[in-house]
Amino acid sequence: MTQAQLQPSGEHLSHHPHSEERRWQDYFTFSTDHKVIGIQYLVTGFLFYLVGGALATAIRTELATPAPDFVDPRLYNSLFTLHGTIMIFLWIVPAGAGFANYLLPLMIGARDMAFPRLNAVAFWIIPPTGILLISSFFFDPAQAGWTSYPPLSVTASQVGEAIWIMSVLLLGTSSILGGINFLVTLWKMRVPSMRLNQMPLFCWAMLSTSLLAVIATPVLAGALILLAFDLLIGTTFFNPTGGGDPVVYQHLFWFYSHPAVYIMVLPFFGVMSEVIPVHSRKPIFGYAAIAYSSLAISFLGLIVWAHHMFTSGTPGWLRMFFMITTMIIAVPTGIKIFGWLATMWGGKIRLNSPMLFAMGFISTFVVGGLSGVMLASVPFDIHVHDTYFVVAHLHYVLFGGSMFGIYTAIYHWFPKMTGRMINEPWGIVHFILTYFGFNLTFLPMHVLGLQGMPRRVAMYDPQFANINFICTIGSYILAVSTIPFLINAVWSWTRGTKAEDNPWQALGFEWLTSSPPSIENFEVLPVLTVGVYDYGMSDLSEVESRSSVEVKYPVGPDNEPVSATSDSQSK
Amino acid sequence: MNIPSTISTLLIGIVLTLLSLWYGQNHGLMPIAASDEANQVDDLFDTMMIIATGLFLIVQGTLIFCAFYFRKRKGDNTDGPGLHGNVPLEILWTAIPAAIVVWISIYSFEIYNTLGGVDPMTAGDMHAMHSPKSHRGAAIAAPLETMPSDSRQIALGVGASPLNQGKSAELEVNVTGLQYAWIFNYPDSGITTGELHLPVGQEIQVNLSANDVIHAFWVPQLRLKQDAIPGRTAQLRFTLNRVGEYPLRCAELCGSYHGSMITKLIAHTPEDYQNWVQSQQIASQPNNSKALALNPTNLSDSQFLAPYAQEMGIDTQLVSEMHHSHH
C-alpha cells in the first residue's frame, strides 16, 4: 500500500507554495501559521524543560545526602514548587499543544487552525509568563508546592505566591484558548471525505484533551482567584479563622488538576496510536475502542479528583465512591495498552528511535498505571499518600508518559517538521540513556515511599540514604541523556540529510505534503480513499469491504475524485 | 487472531502465575507492622502486588518478545497482516481488567470497613473534643478554640471498627500539629508531651487538630495517615500490637522545616505505660518544675514550649520562629 491511493484532488491553490520558503526568522515573529506556532510551542517548551530539569537536578543533589546541606530548606521548597509548576504548565501542556498545533490541520487536511490569530495569542501568552514565573526566584519564590494548599500558601511567601498565581492563571488561559481552537478545528475543518470515526487517533486524543481543558481549567482559575483574594486582600475563603475552609480549595484545585493529568498524557496516547502502526507496519488494533477510550478517560477523569484527598478532609463513604471511579480508569487505559501491544504483535517492527521511545513509553506507563490502581485503593493509599511512592507513581505516568511521548513524536515527525532526517544511531544512544536513567531515578522511589519517606522534605532519615543516592545517580544520567538529543536535533535540523516527503511510508495526510509542508499545507486538498491505518491491506477491494474504513469519494463540486497523483507521492 | 491456547502459552501462564504469587508475598517492601490494622493493609498490598507483578511481566514480556520476534528482517519491506481488530479478544481484555478492579475495590472496601474507615459519625466524640478544657495545652490550642466549631461535622479519618462502633476508645489522646512540632495531650491524666507514648493491646483514638497550616499525622508502621486541618478535627483509631519506637512524621508540606517535623511513637507494654504516666504526673507537679508552675495562659508560645523543646528534639530558635510565623 502506498501513497498513490490517497489521491489529491480538486481546488488548486492560487499561489505557488514553493516560492515561499520558510526562513529561520519566521520562528521569531507573531506568525499565524499553525506550523510555525507548533514549532514555537515545542522549542519554547523544551527550553523550559531544561530549566525545570536543572531544578530537578538541584533537588536530587540536595537529596543525595540526608542532611539539608546543598540548599537550605526554604529554597528547597521553592525548587520543587517551581520544578513542578514549570514542568507541568510550561513543558508538558505546551508540548502537547505544540504537536496538536502542528499536526491537527495536516492530519485532517485543513489549511490552518480555525482561529489562527487566537492560536498565536494562546502561544504568545506562554514565553512572558514563563519568564515571569522564573523571575520570582529574584524575590521570594512560592514555597507551597505546585498544589499551593492554603493556609500554607497564603503565609509562606507573599510576593512569590502572587507571581505563582498570576503565572498559572495566564497559562491556564492559554490552555483554554488552545483547547477551544482545537475543538473547533477538529469539528469544522476536516476534509469532507474524512468522517469523525475515520480521524487519526491523535485527533481523537486531542478532542478528549481539549474537552477536559475547556471544562476543567476555568475551575482552577476560580480557585486561584479566590486564593489571590485570600493572599492579597485578606479575605477568608480558605482561612478557618474567618470561617473559610482549606478543604474547599483542595476540591477546586483537584477538580482541575486531576483532569490535568490526562490533559498532559492523552496527547501522547494519541502519539502512540499514530507511531506504533507506522513502524509496526500494521493497522492500529481496535481503532474504535482506542478512540472511544480517550473519551471515556476524559469523562472518568472529571469524577475522580478526590482520590488526591483520601487522607484529607474527605469522609469515609465519599472515599469509597472516588476509589471505584479511579479504579475504573484502569479499564480504558488498559484497552489502549493492549491495543498497542496487539498492533505490534505479528508486525514487521522497525526498531528505530521513534519506535524505541514508543516501546519505552508503554514499558514505563504500565508501571505507573499499576501503581495508580494500587493508589486508588483507599486503605493502601492512606499509607503511601504524600510519600515517595506517590512521587514515583506521578513521575512514571506524567514524566514517563510525557517525556517518552514527546521524544517519540519528535523523532517520528522530525523529517516532516524540518525537512531533514534526524541521526538514527544518536537517537538510539539517547533512548538507552533516557530509559535507564529514568528507571534508575524513579523505580527505587517506590521503596522509599513504602518504607516511610515523606515527599517534599529536604532532610530525611539516614536509613534512606543509599536508595536516595541511587536515585540521584539516575537523575544525573537522565540529565546527561538530553545532551545527545540536543546536539542531534540542532545538527540534524541544520545539516541532516534531506528527508523525503514520506520517509516512513506512512498513510496519514500529513505525509502527503512536502517536508516541511508548504505554507498552505497542501497544494491540493487530500481525499481519504484509504484509512490512515490501512497498512498491509494490499487489495483495495478488501479495504472497501471493511465497514470501519469506508472508502468515501468526495462530495461537492470542488472535490471531484481524480485518479492522477503527483510524482512525489507515488512510489 | 485467535485467543492463544497452545501448550506453550499455558506453560508461560503457569510460570507467570507462580512468579507473581511468589513475588507478591516475598517483596519485603513494607516496614514492620505494629498494629492489627497494618497487617490487614499488608495483606491487601500483597494481593495487589501479585496482580501487578503478573500484569507487569505480561506487558514487559510482550514488548521484549515483539522487539525480538517481530522485528523487521533485513530486505523485507512488506507490511504486516492488515488486521484491524478482534472483537472477542477486545471484550476479553476489557472484561478481565474490569473484573480485577471491581474485585480490588470490594476487597479494599472490606479492609477499609474493618479498619473503621466507614464509621459514618462520631459526633459525640467530636463534641467532647471541642469543649474547652483547662489542660496545659490550652495556650497552644488557643487559636483553634477561637475558630467556629461545628459539632455536626462528619468525622474525618478512620473511626471505630464495626466491632467497636458506638463505644468510645480505651484511651484518647489529643494531637495538635503546629509548625514544626506535634503536641500530645492526654485528657485523662492531664499530661502534655512532645512524644506519643501508648500502650499495646488497647484501642486508642487520636484526635487531630492543627493550629496554623495543614499537617498530616503518619506512623508508617501503623499504615495510618490523616491530615490535621485547621478549623476541622479528625481522628484515627487503632490498636498497637508490638512494643517499640516508631517514627511519627508530618506528611503534608507545612513549611520550611516540614522535613524536621518528626517525633516518636513509643509503644509500651501496659505496665510500662502506667509507669510512664505516673512518672509524668510526678514530674509535672508544680513543686518540681518552676517553669511549669506558671500559669500557661500568661506565657507566650515560645516561653511555654521552651521546657519541652529539648524533649521534642527541636531547637529553641525554631520554637521562637514558629511563634512569629503562625499568626
Side-chain angles (χ1 to χ4, degrees):
Chain A
M1 178 65 44
T2 66
Q3 290 297 299
Q5 274 123 352
L6 288 163
Q7 297 148 345
S9 74
E11 203 184 344
H12 284 265
L13 294 178
S14 54
H15 71 96
H16 306 285
H18 294 295
S19 65
E20 298 179 42
E21 287 272 309
R22 185 162 291 115
R23 298 159 305 154
W24 63 269
Q25 294 95 323
D26 294 344
Y27 293 107
F28 296 88
T29 61
F30 297 103
S31 171
T32 54
D33 181 350
H34 72 96
K35 299 181 290 301
V36 173
I37 295 174
I39 300 229
Q40 285 174 330
Y41 262 109
L42 290 172
V43 173
T44 313
F46 201 86
L47 294 176
F48 285 122
Y49 172 56
L50 295 179
V51 176
L55 298 182
T57 313
I59 291 168
R60 280 315 318 172
T61 307
E62 163 59 55
L63 292 173
T65 57
D69 42 12
F70 179 66
V71 291
D72 75 89
R74 208 177 153 78
L75 179 58
Y76 179 83
N77 288 6
S78 299
L79 285 179
F80 70 67
T81 300
L82 289 198
H83 161 72
T85 314
I86 288 172
M87 286 303 198
I88 289 166
F89 292 104
L90 289 166
W91 156 238
I92 308 182
V93 175
F99 287 116
N101 256 303
Y102 196 95
L103 294 171
L104 286 188
L106 287 170
M107 282 180 165
I108 60 174
R111 300 211 189 278
D112 205 328
M113 299 287 286
F115 309 117
R117 268 171 294 187
L118 186 71
N119 204 15
V121 171
F123 166 71
W124 281 103
I125 290 174
I126 292 174
T129 309
I131 292 165
L132 172 72
L133 181 66
I134 293 166
S135 75
S136 71
F137 265 117
F138 296 108
F139 307 104
D140 184 18
Q143 307 171 34
W146 84 278
T147 52
S148 210
Y149 281 0
L152 180 64
S153 55
V154 296
T155 54
S157 61
Q158 201 174 28
V159 179
E161 189 65 27
I163 293 177
W164 184 89
I165 292 173
M166 189 67 203
S167 310
V168 176
L169 269 176
L170 285 167
L171 294 168
T173 309
S174 161
S175 167
I176 295 172
L177 297 181
I180 293 171
N181 212 344
F182 298 143
L183 284 177
V184 178
T185 305
L186 286 175
W187 210 255
K188 288 288 183 191
M189 310 280 283
R190 269 174 289 129
V191 287
S193 57
M194 182 185 275
R195 293 183 324 189
L196 204 57
N197 62 2
Q198 293 169 319
M199 274 195 315
L201 287 163
F202 181 73
C203 300
W204 275 102
M206 283 316 299
L207 183 74
S208 315
T209 308
S210 307
L211 280 172
L212 276 182
V214 171
I215 295 169
T217 319
V219 179
L220 175 73
L224 291 180
I225 289 167
L226 297 182
L227 188 66
F229 284 156
D230 273 13
L231 178 76
L232 301 172
I233 316 177
T235 55
T236 56
F237 290 109
F238 306 126
N239 185 346
T241 52
D245 189 348
V247 178
V248 173
Y249 173 84
Q250 298 181 8
H251 278 290
L252 294 172
F253 177 82
W254 287 115
F255 185 81
Y256 163 76
S257 293
H258 189 79
V261 171
Y262 302 105
I263 294 176
M264 290 179 243
V265 84
L266 271 171
F268 304 107
F269 283 168
V271 165
M272 293 305 124
S273 305
E274 295 301 316
V275 172
I276 290 172
V278 175
H279 297 287
S280 306
R281 311 309 303 165
K282 274 186 70 204
I284 189 82
F285 193 95
Y287 171 92
I290 290 180
Y292 300 144
S293 65
S294 292
L295 287 178
I297 289 172
S298 276
F299 172 71
L300 290 169
L302 286 167
I303 53 167
V304 301
W305 74 91
H307 69 217
H308 296 268
M309 303 162 59
F310 281 159
T311 68
S312 174
T314 314
W317 55 271
L318 199 58
R319 297 181 191 189
M320 295 298 104
F321 170 77
F322 283 100
M323 171 168 83
I324 292 163
T325 50
T326 305
M327 291 256 181
I328 290 173
I329 289 208
V331 176
T333 314
I335 290 174
K336 282 180 187 290
I337 287 175
F338 293 132
W340 297 326
L341 290 179
T343 305
M344 294 198 295
W345 192 270
K348 308 258 168 100
I349 299 171
R350 307 164 179 167
L351 282 180
N352 50 17
S353 22
M355 193 63 193
L356 284 174
F357 273 99
M359 292 167 85
F361 175 98
I362 299 175
S363 165
T364 54
F365 198 84
V366 159
V367 177
L370 293 171
S371 60
V373 173
M374 291 184 178
L375 283 169
S377 165
V378 173
F380 176 70
D381 179 78
I382 289 175
H383 174 53
V384 291
H385 178 77
D386 264 328
T387 68
Y388 263 82
F389 191 88
V390 173
V391 177
H393 162 75
L394 84 90
H395 281 90
Y396 265 92
V397 286
L398 274 193
F399 182 52
S402 61
M403 183 259 299
F404 282 103
I406 289 166
Y407 283 135
T408 304
I410 290 176
Y411 281 103
H412 183 73
W413 281 292
F414 193 86
K416 183 51 64 183
M417 290 178 173
T418 64
R420 310 255 186 185
M421 298 303 288
I422 198 161
N423 182 284
E424 193 54 38
W426 280 107
I428 289 168
V429 169
H430 174 216
F431 169 74
I432 291 169
L433 282 174
T434 309
Y435 189 80
F436 284 100
F438 178 90
N439 283 299
L440 199 60
T441 310
F442 298 111
L443 199 62
M445 287 187 187
H446 292 103
V447 184
L448 284 177
L450 290 167
Q451 291 285 326
M453 180 164 161
R455 68 193 285 205
R456 297 173 163 173
V457 292
M459 50 207 117
Y460 56 85
D461 195 323
Q463 76 173 99
F464 305 125
N466 290 341
I467 304 181
N468 268 297
F469 189 71
I470 295 173
C471 296
T472 301
I473 298 293
S475 75
Y476 290 162
I477 297 176
L478 205 48
V480 168
S481 77
T482 50
I483 294 170
F485 170 74
L486 273 175
I487 295 171
N488 191 358
V490 172
W491 189 86
S492 300
W493 200 336
T494 49
R495 322 210 154 169
T497 48
K498 293 263 182 208
E500 298 166 46
D501 289 351
N502 188 1
W504 315 126
Q505 289 85 44
L507 294 175
F509 276 2
E510 75 269 28
W511 301 104
L512 277 177
T513 179
S514 56
S515 294
S518 57
I519 286 174
E520 295 268 318
N521 290 354
F522 301 98
E523 275 183 65
V524 287
L525 281 184
V527 172
L528 188 72
T529 54
V530 168
V532 293
Y533 298 111
D534 286 355
Y535 301 98
M537 314 283 281
S538 52
D539 187 10
L540 196 63
S541 64
E542 191 189 329
V543 174
E544 277 168 324
S545 69
R546 302 196 62 88
S547 60
S548 62
V549 273
E550 275 183 35
V551 177
K552 272 268 183 170
Y553 286 100
V555 290
D558 286 338
N559 282 332
E560 283 303 309
V562 176
S563 57
T565 61
S566 66
D567 287 347
S568 65
Q569 280 145 11
S570 54
K571 276 212 65 165
Chain B
M1 186 190 286
N2 292 317
I3 299 164
S5 60
T6 56
I7 301 288
S8 57
T9 319
L10 188 72
L11 285 175
I12 290 170
I14 291 170
V15 172
L16 269 180
T17 313
L18 290 176
L19 266 176
S20 309
L21 280 170
W22 177 81
Y23 185 71
Q25 290 163 36
N26 294 283
H27 51 73
L29 291 173
M30 283 287 201
I32 295 168
S35 69
D36 304 338
E37 293 84 356
N39 285 324
Q40 292 178 315
V41 175
D42 287 1
D43 289 345
L44 173 68
F45 178 62
D46 289 350
T47 311
M48 293 195 296
M49 276 304 278
I50 293 171
I51 297 168
T53 308
L55 287 169
F56 175 84
L57 291 175
I58 289 173
V59 174
Q60 309 288 5
T62 311
L63 277 173
I64 293 168
F65 182 79
C66 287
F68 285 98
Y69 198 76
F70 295 121
R71 73 180 184 282
K72 182 179 102 78
R73 315 280 152 176
K74 260 210 168 89
D76 179 3
N77 286 322
T78 58
D79 286 355
L83 189 72
H84 274 270
N86 179 323
V87 174
L89 188 61
E90 286 173 52
I91 291 173
L92 185 79
W93 73 41
T94 308
I96 289 178
I100 290 174
V101 297
V102 167
W103 182 71
I104 294 179
S105 294
I106 294 169
Y107 185 19
S108 302
F109 177 83
E110 272 301 308
I111 299 281
Y112 191 54
N113 190 29
T114 341
L115 298 186
V118 206
D119 181 15
M121 284 280 197
T122 44
D125 294 338
M126 306 283 295
H127 198 70
M129 232 208 91
H130 274 289
S131 62
K133 284 182 182 173
S134 56
H135 57 68
R136 227 178 292 109
I140 304 156
L144 184 70
E145 273 151 2
T146 62
M147 294 170 190
S149 69
D150 181 0
S151 58
R152 286 164 303 159
Q153 266 184 331
I154 294 163
L156 302 171
V158 174
S161 65
L163 284 174
N164 292 326
Q165 264 169 27
K167 292 185 227 162
S168 53
E170 290 167 79
L171 175 66
E172 275 195 47
V173 185
N174 295 330
V175 179
T176 309
L178 72 169
Q179 286 170 325
Y180 299 96
W182 293 106
I183 309 291
F184 304 101
N185 175 261
Y186 297 69
D188 298 340
S189 47
I191 298 169
T192 299
T193 60
E195 283 176 349
L196 183 58
H197 292 257
L198 295 172
V200 298
Q202 290 184 25
E203 202 192 16
I204 292 147
Q205 175 169 335
V206 294
N207 300 313
L208 296 163
S209 57
N211 274 7
D212 34 37
V213 299
I214 302 172
H215 301 275
F217 175 100
W218 182 36
V219 181
Q221 282 74 10
L222 295 181
R223 316 283 188 268
L224 280 180
K225 185 183 290 120
Q226 173 60 41
D227 284 8
I229 301 164
R232 289 191 175 210
T233 51
Q235 54 162 271
L236 288 174
R237 273 168 87 148
F238 54 88
T239 309
L240 292 164
N241 66 4
R242 183 189 272 263
V243 173
E245 284 189 14
Y246 312 114
L248 194 166
R249 302 161 193 281
C250 174
E252 179 68 55
L253 177 64
C254 63
S256 306
Y257 294 92
H258 166 55
S260 61
M261 188 167 163
I262 173 166
T263 180
K264 281 183 220 160
L265 186 162
I266 300 159
H268 296 282
T269 59
E271 301 79 52
D272 282 353
Y273 176 72
Q274 281 311 321
N275 293 338
W276 175 81
V277 169
Q278 277 162 18
S279 70
Q280 288 295 304
Q281 282 170 328
I282 292 165
S284 63
Q285 290 294 317
N287 304 343
N288 291 357
S289 166
K290 280 173 197 156
L292 298 180
L294 300 165
N295 181 351
T297 49
N298 297 334
L299 298 174
S300 75
D301 289 358
S302 52
Q303 285 170 316
F304 171 74
L305 278 177
Y308 298 104
Q310 194 70 26
E311 193 183 346
M312 291 187 291
I314 49 178
D315 60 56
T316 39
Q317 193 199 343
L318 212 128
V319 173
S320 57
E321 269 178 28
M322 166 205 83
H323 174 61
H324 296 297
S325 60
H326 85 270
H327 287 289

